[in-house]
């Protein structure tokens, strides 16, 4: 079953609450905050992305991209990059936001390290990541991608052909 974008965001917010309060040493406040969340916040058996879709692109995309990291399980990484690639492909207004997010130093490092480990990273993660970059490259300010992100990538000949093709299109 696919994890919806809304569920990814809700999970990230829930983990954020726990981490924030653990760092501050206020465990009791953490559980009180979680207990005060209403049932609708957690969703029901029928998952919907309407909560996520109501947010502006910067909040929506940042919330999803924040859940991607080297320690993130592969299934979640696949879903994050598939969601971002889908949005960038179908919603041109999302592309400049994706460019801004992907050119942050932490995301440049994340993408570069993922592609550097291409031999051990499944194509199901690499391809949607490359597709998201390709569609982000269609944004008016895509020159930032070339300056920051694309220069940090390994040589294209070290990547699977499908991924190489997507990145070659982004470089045009």
């Amino acid at each position: 079953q696919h994890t919806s974008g809304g569920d990814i965001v809700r999970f990230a917010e829930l983990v954020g609450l726990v981490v924030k309060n653990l760092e501050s040493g206020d465990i009791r406040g953490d559980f009180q905050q979680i207990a005060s969340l209403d049932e609708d916040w957690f969703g029901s058996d029928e998952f919907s992305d309407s909560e996520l879709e109501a947010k502006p692109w910067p909040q929506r995309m940042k919330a999803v991209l924040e859940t991607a990291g080297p320690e993130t399980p592969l299934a979640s990484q696949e879903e994050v990059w598939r969601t971002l690639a889908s949005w960038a492909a179908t919603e041109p207004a999302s592309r400049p936001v994706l460019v801004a997010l992907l050119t942050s130093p932490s995301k440049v490092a994340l993408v570069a390290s993922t592609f550097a480990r291409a031999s051990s990273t499944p194509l199901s993660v690499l391809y949607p990541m490359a597709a998201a970059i390709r569609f982000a490259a269609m944004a008016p300010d895509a020159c930032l991608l070339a300056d920051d992100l694309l220069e940090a990538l390994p040589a294209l000949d070290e990547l699977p052909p499908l991924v190489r093709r997507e990145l070659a299109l982004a470089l045009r």
Side-chain angles (χ1 to χ4, degrees):
Q1 176 178 342
H2 285 299
T3 306
S4 71
D7 290 332
I8 291 171
V9 172
R10 281 190 291 272
F11 179 75
E13 290 174 356
L14 186 60
V15 170
L17 282 173
V18 172
V19 169
K20 181 180 87 178
N21 287 299
L22 284 174
E23 288 172 348
S24 71
D26 182 16
I27 305 257
R28 192 173 210 104
D30 178 47
F31 292 113
Q32 289 171 348
Q33 277 184 299
I34 293 171
S36 70
L37 296 173
D38 64 18
E39 196 173 301
D40 291 336
W41 186 86
F42 287 103
S44 64
D45 288 342
E46 293 185 24
F47 297 112
S48 169
D49 289 337
S50 60
E51 172 187 319
L52 185 61
E53 290 169 0
K55 294 182 178 183
W57 281 116
Q59 289 177 339
R60 190 183 323 183
M61 296 186 93
K62 183 178 180 187
V64 170
L65 192 55
E66 282 179 348
T67 63
E71 68 286 344
T72 306
L74 285 175
S76 297
Q77 287 183 40
E78 292 171 17
E79 185 63 27
V80 165
W81 292 107
R82 190 174 28 245
T83 299
L84 293 173
S86 174
W87 285 342
T90 60
E91 300 289 343
S94 70
R95 294 173 186 162
V97 175
L98 187 55
V99 168
L101 291 171
L102 289 177
T103 54
S104 72
S106 64
K107 296 312 173 195
V108 168
L110 171 68
V111 171
S113 69
T114 302
F115 282 127
R117 297 185 322 269
S119 62
S120 63
T121 304
L123 186 60
S124 60
V125 172
L126 294 174
Y127 178 74
M129 183 182 283
I133 293 168
R134 173 188 169 205
F135 289 114
M138 295 177 181
D141 55 351
C143 61
L144 295 173
L145 278 176
D147 293 343
D148 296 331
L149 180 66
L150 296 176
E151 298 223 351
L153 297 179
L156 291 182
D157 59 341
E158 297 174 15
L159 300 171
L162 192 59
V163 173
R164 193 171 45 232
R165 184 192 70 164
E166 291 296 315
L167 292 175
L169 291 170
L171 290 169
R172 284 195 214 182

